[in-house]
């Protein structure tokens, strides 16, 4: 995720109105909305490789147990990991359970519960370097890969590794593949992740020594004291009665270090197969996977099919306003086009989604909060593409000769009638190929709304890919779906162009 | 004395960059007559017609259509019924490229006059018939010859039943054969149907055969006025002599 978003965190945090006490809200609604990023990979919260619709993971089980003890139902809220704290501040969810390490930086912004897991940092190197690199000191001057935003970065910094040698990646699997390929010489992450992703891989070796221990805890908004107290009480029970210990054992995460948090191991239970971190033996369950991808492709299609016509129509209105509107309106619309084209779509999606609640409170329209992600996604895509379509329409409108305006004026048409019945039907033909071209880009740009947790094609493909160690084949599968959608769009575009070429034989113009 | 179909007083027009094109032009067109504007290219014929057609606001002067003030002291009236009473045929036919010939003619009756589609079509058919283009009704503009296109454009203007029809060198973009075809239609409209017309043209045969009155424009001024007999004169005016010699 681009770094430019970092200052926005502060902005949004101050914008978000102080929410009602979370505990009162939990009781009233009977629902605990817990935030996580399901594309973050195993074993936290991830799509089950054998049934990609189901989200599993040790944090899913902790969340469910926690909700149960609070007397409410758990409801998962998904968003990009780096956006989760903003989601919490914006009251999109009540708390976060997603491998948030307790750090002084974060404590300035949010409040942490008592910990539920203890980890330590562990190095992974290529198998052939097993004897060469046995500690951080052996890696002096060599690039080391880490997960973006993780505590591993702070560990390396405090060990004196220069920032230029700390290579950050957006997903948890990438540091391992980069190590195998050789772009970096090692990767550093929390020990159980190292075991999960590298333990089974003959090309990698996990360095024995661990260092810089830390803890994960539940994140709540600052000042949400009643909720925090209730969560702490429930966690204390779960630690003491062996429930937490059992969950950690099931997921192969138990170690004696957990006892230091006061966690009781509980009865010994076996590790479940999903926790081992090996690819499914008989390969991916392709029929289920393709079904999941097909439904994700339907989401991508929905985003595109709804937002493109809006963008095309709004773009036309913008172009007409720019060319023929009164000067202030024309300037305003031109400014909108410049601003929208000049800023990243990702930033627009992010800003709109996380500033809506504050905006709703400010405008006195609390319903804005309940706009769901898909609606926000469609609004953003449509608003962004409208700016591009406006320029296409503008060029096409200007390409219609002045003599058409003269002929219409001499017949007594008003300006509005001339545009509607004479100019736009002709400019539409000219702009159509460029608009179909943009329709094709939109199909692919729609993947950016996964930033706010919409489960579209690319997000689902990556989620399944990471959970089942099959990122490349899932990307190829996703690309095939994108290609199919794009071919459909072209076919649709061609039939539109054919229609636009036929001539209106009746007084009714062809495009009304 | 009856109200003239069109009367212009003291029309002046100056383009900001190139300077004066019209200076104090006045003319009077009686009902059911054909008024010809002759003059060399650049003499101001087109600009005068665009002013008379209410497409260009003159800097000064007034225009009355059927006795109604359409332009006063250079300001164009916003009344659409006044605008509709002046029809215009341009050098280029400028047919609406997305519509069939019939729809080109029927669009304004339907959308501007508010006739229902059937009535608009019927009216368009009779207008096309008047220019002998009914058989072209379903053709697209790009399937028509230049002469056919211009005839459809004439029908498109006629269908609104204007008080006066302005034609701005309607054949300047056509070869001689097609010119004859279009001028024949205009002559027929003038002689048989009694349509009031102002025609800017180089076609002196047409002027001799059909025009009731003639204005000779030179350098943005009406230099000579008279009947079609003006074409037969020599020695009245040097510029007119020069123009007639060249044509």
């Amino acid at each position: 995720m681009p770094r430019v978003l970092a200052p926005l965190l502060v902005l949004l945090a101050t914008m978000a109105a102080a929410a009602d006490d979370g505990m009162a809200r939990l009781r009233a609604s009977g629902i605990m909305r817990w935030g996580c990023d399901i594309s973050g990979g195993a074993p936290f919260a991830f799509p089950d490789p054998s049934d990609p619709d189901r989200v599993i993971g040790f944090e899913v089980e902790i969340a469910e147990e926690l909700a149960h003890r609070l007397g409410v139902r758990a409801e998962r809220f998904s968003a990009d990991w780096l956006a989760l704290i903003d989601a919490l501040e914006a009251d999109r969810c009540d708390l976060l359970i997603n491998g948030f390490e307790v750090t002084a930086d974060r404590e300035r912004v949010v409040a942490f519960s008592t910990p539920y897991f203890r980890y330590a940092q562990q190095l992974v190197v290529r198998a052939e370097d097993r004897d060469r690199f046995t500690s951080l000191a052996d890696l002096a001057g060599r690039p080391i890969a880490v997960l973006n935003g993780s505590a591993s970065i702070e560990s390396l910094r405090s060990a004196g590794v220069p920032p230029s040698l700390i290579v950050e990646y957006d997903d948890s699997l990438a540091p391992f593949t980069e190590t195998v390929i050789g772009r970096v010489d090692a990767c550093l992450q929390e020990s159980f992740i190292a075991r999960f992703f590298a333990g089974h891989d003959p090309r990698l070796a996990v360095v024995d020594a661990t260092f810089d221990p830390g803890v994960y805890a539940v994140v709540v908004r600052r000042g949400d004291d009643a909720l925090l107290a209730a969560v702490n009480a429930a966690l204390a029970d779960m630690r003491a009665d062996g429930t937490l210990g059992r969950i950690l054992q099931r997921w192969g995460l138990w170690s004696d270090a957990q006892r230091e948090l006061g966690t009781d191991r509980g009865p010994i239970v076996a590790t479940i197969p999903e926790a081992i971190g090996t690819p499914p033996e008989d390969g991916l369950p392709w029929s289920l996977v393709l079904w999941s991808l097909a439904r994700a492709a339907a989401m991508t299609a929905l985003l595109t099919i709804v937002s493109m016509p809006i963008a095309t129509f709004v773009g036309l209105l913008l172009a007409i306003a720019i060319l023929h509107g009164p000067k202030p309106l024309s300037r305003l619309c031109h400014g909108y086009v410049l601003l929208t084209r000049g800023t990243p779509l990702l930033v627009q999606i992010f800003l709109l989604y996380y500033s809506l609640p504050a905006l709703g409170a400010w405008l006195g329209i609390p319903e804005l909060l309940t706009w769901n992600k898909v609606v926000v996604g469609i609004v953003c895509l449509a608003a962004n593409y409208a700016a591009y379509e406006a320029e296409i329409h503008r060029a096409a409108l200007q390409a219609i000769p002045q003599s058409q305006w003269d002929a219409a004026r001499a017949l007594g048409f008003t300006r509005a009638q001339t545009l509607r019945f004479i100019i736009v039907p002709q400019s539409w033909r000219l702009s159509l190929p460029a608009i179909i071209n943009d329709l094709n880009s939109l199909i692919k740009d729609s993947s950016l709304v996964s930033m706010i947790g919409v489960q579209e094609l690319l997000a689902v493909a990556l989620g399944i890919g990471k959970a089942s160690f099959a990122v490349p084949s899932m990307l190829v599968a996703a690309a095939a779906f994108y290609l199919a959608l794009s071919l459909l769009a072209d076919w649709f575009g061609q039939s539109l162009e054919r229609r636009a070429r036929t001539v209106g034989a009746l007084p009714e113009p062809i495009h009304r | 004395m009856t109200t003239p179909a069109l009367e212009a007083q003291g029309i002046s027009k100056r383009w900001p960059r190139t300077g004066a094109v019209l200076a104090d032009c006045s003319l009077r067109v009686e009902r059911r007559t054909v008024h010809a504007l002759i003059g060399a290219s650049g003499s101001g014929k087109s600009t005068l017609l665009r002013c008379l057609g209410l497409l260009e606001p003159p800097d000064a002067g007034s225009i009355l259509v059927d006795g109604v003030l359409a332009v006063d002291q250079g300001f164009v009236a916003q009344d659409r019924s006044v605008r509709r009473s002046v029809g215009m045929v341009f050098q280029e036919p400028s047919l609406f490229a997305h519509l069939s010939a019939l729809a080109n003619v029927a669009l304004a009756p339907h959308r501007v006059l508010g006739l229902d589609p059937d009535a608009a079509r019927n009216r368009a058919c009779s207008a096309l018939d008047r220019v002998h283009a009914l058989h072209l009704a379903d053709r697209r503009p790009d399937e028509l010859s230049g002469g056919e296109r211009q005839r459809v454009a004439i029908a498109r203007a006629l269908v609104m039943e204007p008080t006066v029809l302005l034609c701005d060198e309607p054949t300047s973009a056509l070869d001689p054969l097609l010119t004859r075809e279009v001028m024949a239609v205009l002559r027929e409209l003038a002689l048989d149907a009694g349509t009031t017309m102002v025609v800017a043209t180089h076609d002196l045969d047409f002027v001799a055969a059909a025009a009731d009155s003639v204005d000779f424009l030179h350098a943005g001024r009406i230099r000579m006025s008279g009947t079609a007999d003006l074409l037969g004169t020599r020695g009245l005016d040097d510029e007119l002599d020069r123009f007639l010699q060249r044509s």
Side-chain angles (χ1 to χ4, degrees):
Chain A
M1 195 182 74
R3 300 267 158 141
V4 295
L5 294 190
L8 295 178
L9 301 186
V10 182
L11 173 72
L12 288 170
T14 42
M15 274 165 69
D20 298 340
D21 182 77
M23 196 57 213
R25 183 194 190 115
L26 237 65
R27 284 210 191 87
S29 64
I31 292 170
M32 179 190 92
R33 300 168 302 164
W34 69 285
C36 68
D37 180 359
I38 63 167
S39 67
F44 299 92
F46 61 103
D48 183 348
S50 62
D51 178 5
D53 287 343
R54 221 161 60 96
V55 172
I56 56 172
F58 83 100
E59 288 179 333
V60 177
E61 292 180 15
I62 290 176
E64 272 160 11
E65 184 63 30
L66 187 59
H68 176 69
R69 286 176 193 236
L70 295 176
V72 293
R73 190 163 55 78
E75 187 181 283
R76 184 168 36 78
F77 169 88
S78 302
D80 189 273
W81 195 76
L82 292 173
L84 281 172
I85 288 183
D86 304 286
L88 180 70
E89 296 285 0
D91 199 22
R92 294 275 174 189
C93 52
D94 301 306
L95 48 82
L96 308 176
I97 309 177
N98 204 199
F100 279 95
E101 302 101 336
V102 178
T103 62
D105 279 351
R106 287 201 184 111
E107 277 184 311
R108 276 194 285 274
V109 186
V110 290
F112 281 104
S113 72
T114 53
Y116 59 82
F117 185 70
R118 189 185 156 95
Y119 65 85
Q121 299 294 328
Q122 197 160 22
L123 280 167
V124 170
V125 297
R126 282 182 293 276
E128 64 264 31
D129 292 335
R130 187 189 304 272
D131 302 321
R132 228 169 117 209
F133 304 134
T134 56
S135 69
L136 259 188
D138 296 339
L139 286 156
R142 295 175 181 276
I144 299 170
V146 292
L147 173 64
N148 194 351
S150 71
S152 311
I153 301 168
E154 199 42 50
S155 283
L156 290 177
R157 280 198 194 133
S158 55
V161 177
S164 60
L165 291 176
I166 304 174
V167 191
E168 296 182 39
Y169 292 93
D170 263 352
D171 81 85
S172 39
L173 190 53
F176 298 96
T177 31
E178 292 292 276
T179 307
V180 170
I181 294 167
R183 288 206 186 96
V184 295
D185 288 311
C187 55
L188 183 69
Q189 56 286 302
E190 285 142 28
S191 52
F192 68 97
I193 303 178
R195 283 204 305 277
F196 188 90
F197 284 104
H200 67 92
D201 193 329
R203 298 166 300 176
L204 291 169
V206 181
V207 174
D208 285 337
T210 63
F211 55 99
D212 272 354
V215 291
Y216 292 157
V218 177
V219 182
V220 300
R221 279 183 292 270
R222 281 178 77 102
D224 220 346
D225 298 332
L227 177 60
L228 185 60
V231 168
N232 280 337
L235 280 177
D237 285 350
M238 285 165 66
R239 275 193 296 269
D241 66 11
T243 313
L244 184 59
R246 190 170 46 79
I247 293 174
L248 296 180
Q249 286 183 66
R250 270 167 55 75
W251 286 92
L253 300 172
W254 178 262
S255 62
D256 284 341
Q258 303 305 326
R259 288 189 211 277
E260 290 166 32
L261 303 178
T263 309
D264 188 88
R265 176 172 193 164
I268 293 177
V269 293
T271 302
I272 59 171
E274 288 87 344
I276 304 297
T278 48
E281 289 220 337
D282 41 355
L284 283 170
W286 277 106
S287 59
L288 281 169
V289 165
L290 288 178
W291 176 231
S292 291
L293 285 184
R295 274 176 314 153
M299 172 56 80
T300 293
L302 172 80
L303 291 168
T304 311
I305 289 170
V306 178
S307 42
M308 195 64 194
I310 299 175
T312 307
F313 184 67
V314 173
L316 177 61
L317 295 184
L318 284 170
I320 290 172
I322 289 170
L323 288 176
H324 304 288
K327 206 155 227 173
L329 180 68
S330 169
R331 292 234 170 104
L332 191 73
C333 292
H334 188 58
Y336 173 83
V337 168
L338 291 180
L339 183 72
T340 311
R341 286 194 316 172
T343 52
L345 177 55
L346 188 66
V347 173
Q348 294 163 6
I349 293 171
F350 190 87
L351 268 181
L352 183 67
Y353 189 61
Y354 293 112
S355 60
L356 268 184
L359 197 67
W362 187 62
L363 294 173
I365 317 169
E367 291 79 20
L368 279 185
L369 170 65
T370 56
W371 271 24
N372 77 28
K373 301 168 183 185
V374 179
V375 175
V376 172
I378 286 171
V379 168
C380 284
L381 293 173
N384 181 273
Y385 268 69
Y388 291 93
E389 303 326 298
E391 288 298 279
I392 292 173
H393 285 300
R394 189 166 69 88
L397 287 168
Q398 285 178 315
I400 305 299
Q402 176 63 30
S403 59
Q404 295 277 307
W405 283 93
D406 285 346
R409 221 165 122 203
L411 288 168
F413 285 95
T414 62
R415 283 167 77 85
Q417 284 179 321
T418 307
L419 273 168
R420 186 171 157 204
F421 300 122
I422 294 159
I423 305 299
V424 171
Q426 295 184 61
S427 70
W428 170 244
R429 293 185 193 185
L430 298 178
S431 51
L432 203 47
I435 289 173
I436 297 301
N437 199 30
D438 273 2
L439 173 64
N440 265 300
S441 337
L442 177 60
I443 292 173
K444 284 153 280 168
D445 270 1
S446 68
S447 68
L448 287 175
V449 299
S450 64
M451 179 74 196
I452 55 174
V454 176
Q455 290 300 299
E456 50 64 61
L457 189 45
L458 194 59
V460 168
L462 279 174
I464 299 173
K466 281 183 209 167
S468 52
F469 300 89
V471 171
S473 49
M474 289 310 293
L475 287 180
V476 171
F481 274 94
Y482 275 115
L483 181 64
L485 286 176
S486 166
L487 291 176
L488 262 175
D490 271 337
W491 169 81
F492 172 70
Q494 274 165 18
S495 69
L496 266 188
E497 283 184 44
R498 257 197 310 278
R499 253 196 70 170
R501 270 200 303 272
T502 54
V503 152
L506 303 174
E508 291 89 353
I510 32 177
H511 300 292
R512 282 198 286 176
Chain B
M1 200 164 159
T2 55
T3 317
L6 181 71
E7 189 174 8
Q9 285 293 335
I11 302 295
S12 294
K13 177 82 187 172
R14 170 185 284 276
W15 295 119
R17 284 167 194 274
T18 48
V21 281
L22 290 178
D24 197 26
C25 291
S26 299
L27 56 85
R28 184 184 163 99
V29 182
E30 302 296 340
R31 289 174 173 288
R32 295 175 166 274
T33 65
V34 174
H35 186 88
L37 294 177
I38 58 173
S41 298
S43 58
K45 299 191 300 292
S46 282
T47 308
L48 180 56
L49 273 182
R50 284 180 68 83
C51 289
L52 295 176
L54 313 182
L55 293 176
E56 211 67 71
D59 297 334
S62 59
I63 295 171
L64 282 93
V65 183
D66 209 7
V68 177
L69 201 59
V71 173
D72 186 23
Q73 308 293 331
F75 288 99
V76 178
Q78 293 307 305
D79 186 351
R80 286 172 70 199
S81 66
V82 179
R83 182 175 293 291
R84 286 205 301 271
S85 58
V86 186
M88 187 113 182
V89 175
F90 301 87
Q91 295 183 17
E92 300 284 341
S94 302
L95 292 185
F96 306 137
H98 61 303
L99 297 174
S100 69
L102 179 65
N104 259 279
V105 181
L107 188 66
H110 178 47
R111 297 292 178 188
V112 177
L113 299 181
L115 300 183
D116 66 59
D118 279 336
R121 254 189 303 257
N122 287 338
R123 218 162 133 166
C125 285
S126 53
L128 282 172
D129 198 27
R130 284 174 76 185
V131 298
H132 311 298
L134 190 53
H135 62 292
L136 306 173
D138 293 328
R139 300 269 191 88
R140 298 188 333 206
D142 59 5
E143 295 168 341
L144 300 175
S145 74
E148 289 169 337
R149 255 179 260 168
Q150 196 57 289
R151 276 152 60 200
V152 173
I154 293 169
R156 185 175 66 178
L158 280 179
V159 78
M160 298 300 279
E161 296 173 355
T163 307
V164 55
L165 179 66
L166 310 178
C167 302
D168 182 10
E169 299 192 41
T171 59
S172 67
L174 302 177
D175 63 45
L177 195 71
L178 297 176
T179 299
R180 222 171 299 151
E181 165 192 335
V182 172
M183 292 319 284
V185 164
L186 284 180
R187 196 179 303 196
E188 199 179 314
L189 287 174
L191 299 178
D192 301 347
T195 311
T196 310
M197 282 195 271
V198 178
V199 184
T201 182
H202 286 114
D203 186 341
L204 298 184
D205 291 341
F206 172 83
V207 176
D212 300 289
S213 51
V214 178
D215 278 336
F216 170 61
L217 261 85
H218 179 76
R221 288 180 183 277
I222 296 180
R223 203 171 164 99
M224 297 291 293
S225 290
T227 62
D229 296 343
L230 206 59
L231 302 181
T233 62
R234 289 293 184 274
L236 270 180
D237 181 86
D238 291 349
E239 292 296 343
L240 180 60
D241 287 351
R242 215 167 292 156
F243 171 73
L244 292 175
Q245 210 163 8
R246 255 180 291 149
S247 300

